[in-house]
Amino acid sequence: MTKAAALHQFFSSFGLSAYAATDVPDDAVLPYLVYEFAVGAYEDTTYPTVDLYYHSESNVHINAKAQEISDRCHNGAAIRFDTGGAMLYCGPWQGLRDEVSDMIKRRRSNFTIHWVSNT
């Protein structure tokens, strides 16, 4: 598995569609997660941004999903790929106002990824 595939698999593991920020389809259906595709080489550290999007009058579901992701990544979540692995850490989630609609709820977190691969 490539680094890109491992990142996608990880971000898709929360029961939501997950898209690299450059690959969000025009017809994507909420809720979904968008992540920056930021890979590094051996001993690099990258800091991708992750956004959650929900369509709701309430913040209950999006806050619960942000907490679920935080719980898994707070102390580090390991991903593995063909030539090594990485540890992902989740930062705090920030609530953002969507310009299009008050019904679109959005949360953003800055992740830290420590790469321990050779390529």
Side-chain angles (χ1 to χ4, degrees):
M1 178 181 311
T2 66
K3 290 178 184 180
L7 274 179
H8 182 75
Q9 182 179 46
F10 173 78
F11 286 122
S12 296
S13 71
F14 296 100
L16 301 175
S17 296
Y19 305 103
T22 57
D23 295 328
V24 180
D26 291 336
D27 61 349
V29 177
L30 296 170
Y32 59 80
L33 180 149
V34 176
Y35 61 94
E36 289 180 342
F37 179 68
V39 297
Y42 180 65
E43 294 188 354
D44 282 350
T45 301
T46 57
Y47 304 95
T49 299
V50 176
D51 289 294
L52 287 173
Y53 293 88
Y54 272 72
H55 187 271
S56 178
E57 292 181 7
S58 165
N59 290 305
V60 171
H61 298 292
I62 194 168
N63 288 342
K65 187 58 69 175
Q67 186 63 53
E68 175 188 343
I69 296 169
S70 291
D71 288 347
R72 188 170 331 158
C73 305
H74 180 72
N75 292 319
I79 63 169
R80 304 210 187 292
F81 42 89
D82 292 338
T83 59
M87 291 297 291
L88 287 80
Y89 299 89
C90 180
W93 291 90
Q94 174 186 10
L96 301 172
R97 181 178 174 89
D98 191 85
E99 298 294 323
V100 175
S101 170
D102 287 339
M103 294 291 289
I104 298 175
K105 307 301 182 192
R106 185 174 169 202
R107 298 292 179 271
R108 173 176 286 163
S109 179
N110 293 313
F111 275 57
T112 300
I113 304 177
H114 298 290
W115 297 94
V116 290
S117 68
N118 291 320
T119 60

